[in-house]
Amino acid sequence: MKKEQFPAAQDIPLKGAWGSITLSNIKKVFRTEEIDTWALREVSLEVKEGEFVAIMGPSGCGKTTLLNIMGLLDTPTDGTYMLDGKDVSQLSERERTNIRRGTIGFVFQSFNLIDDLDVYENVELPLLYMGVPAKERKKRVTEMLDRMAMSHRRKHFPCQLSGGQQQRVAVARAVVSNPKIILADEPTGNLDSKNSKEVMDLLLQLHEQGTTIVMVTHSQHNASFADRIINLFDGQVVEHTEL
């Protein structure tokens, strides 16, 4: 069978090329000399292009592992992962990196901003990796900081920002490349109610614009904004709820 060819990072369209996710019998086991720890057991699910899906479940049930596999940050031990009809289950790290750039945006609970870069530089970073020309980078970053009401903080460093401001910068960085998919891992977990609402409003705006969103959350309130809730327990899907 001919191996699927994926584009180099600089060849990926700026608006992203993938939006649908299909997992079939995904297993993930972490092995040591003494014990096998199962994080996921035969997980099968589908996220349609443009859908907003929330993943819920108790701590340790495999939610973050599942999100990491969807985001090509990790590979399954067994099973098939189809991203827009292409099998990406066992790609090399280089191939996975090429697909992630400009296609998948990540929003983490811990923000994951780079301390040595200011706000502007943190948001610009994905565009640098994609090889976007300087003029276009400046335009995109400036527009995104305006949209996030962070232009006045463009030269500040992460340590000079509040938690809500850091998360707004993290969201800006995630979406500046116009990814087709946003993966959010407890995006409001470290925020107060006001900043949580702002982040959820931003995710809803992206969803309305056609972005596929998968969000891991413990918040039933946040999950209520999704089209569908998937519940995990002990590494298995136990319930799908349409909203």
Side-chain angles (χ1 to χ4, degrees):
M1 181 181 293
K2 184 178 179 181
K3 186 176 181 181
E4 188 71 48
Q5 295 297 313
F6 291 94
Q10 63 268 25
D11 297 328
I12 293 177
L14 295 184
K15 289 189 177 296
W18 294 276
S20 64
I21 292 170
T22 303
L23 304 178
S24 302
N25 299 315
I26 291 292
K27 302 176 186 176
K28 183 64 181 183
V29 57
F30 297 99
R31 290 192 167 97
T32 66
E33 292 182 0
E34 296 155 356
I35 192 170
D36 288 353
T37 302
W38 286 86
L40 298 173
R41 300 173 181 268
E42 297 187 352
V43 170
S44 296
L45 60 87
E46 181 179 1
V47 180
K48 297 177 181 178
E49 183 175 356
E51 191 176 17
F52 186 171
V53 172
I55 298 176
M56 302 191 73
S59 297
C61 72
K63 299 186 301 296
T64 296
T65 299
L66 180 59
L67 206 69
N68 287 342
I69 289 174
M70 287 183 178
L72 300 175
L73 296 174
D74 200 355
T75 56
T77 303
D78 196 10
T80 304
Y81 176 12
M82 305 294 288
L83 186 59
D84 197 43
K86 301 175 178 65
D87 188 351
V88 296
S89 310
Q90 299 295 332
L91 298 179
S92 68
E93 175 57 32
R94 181 175 181 179
E95 289 171 317
R96 286 185 282 134
T97 298
N98 284 341
I99 294 173
R100 283 196 305 267
R101 290 175 180 171
T103 303
I104 302 173
F106 297 91
V107 182
F108 301 98
Q109 178 179 352
S110 56
F111 316 134
N112 284 11
L113 300 177
I114 298 176
D115 293 337
D116 295 335
L117 300 181
D118 64 26
V119 165
Y120 184 97
E121 292 166 335
N122 265 284
V123 177
E124 182 187 33
L125 197 59
L127 302 180
L128 284 169
Y129 286 144
M130 291 169 62
V132 176
K135 185 177 180 180
E136 176 68 11
R137 290 201 309 271
K138 182 177 180 180
K139 176 177 180 291
R140 285 182 178 224
V141 175
T142 300
E143 289 176 351
M144 189 56 60
L145 291 179
D146 285 344
R147 180 178 176 184
M148 299 293 171
M150 288 299 295
S151 295
H152 65 299
R153 295 283 195 172
R154 58 188 290 137
K155 292 301 180 184
H156 287 72
F157 290 89
C159 65
Q160 299 173 302
L161 305 176
S162 68
Q165 290 170 335
Q166 289 188 59
Q167 191 62 300
R168 288 207 296 273
V169 175
V171 172
R173 182 184 59 186
V175 304
V176 72
S177 58
N178 294 322
K180 195 62 178 173
I181 298 170
I182 293 287
L183 302 179
D185 192 357
E186 295 284 2
T188 66
N190 288 329
L191 304 181
D192 59 25
S193 59
K194 178 179 180 294
N195 287 304
S196 294
K197 182 180 183 303
E198 290 181 0
V199 169
M200 290 307 302
D201 286 345
L202 289 168
L203 291 178
L204 285 172
Q205 289 174 25
L206 292 167
H207 171 49
E208 289 169 0
Q209 293 165 11
T211 304
T212 303
I213 298 176
V214 181
M215 176 182 67
V216 163
T217 182
H218 281 104
S219 168
Q220 191 68 49
H221 174 72
N222 288 350
S224 69
F225 292 101
D227 301 318
R228 182 161 51 101
I229 299 174
I230 296 173
N231 282 281
L232 290 186
F233 187 77
D234 285 349
Q236 294 177 299
V237 175
V238 294
E239 186 178 17
H240 288 260
T241 304
E242 299 284 345
L243 299 178

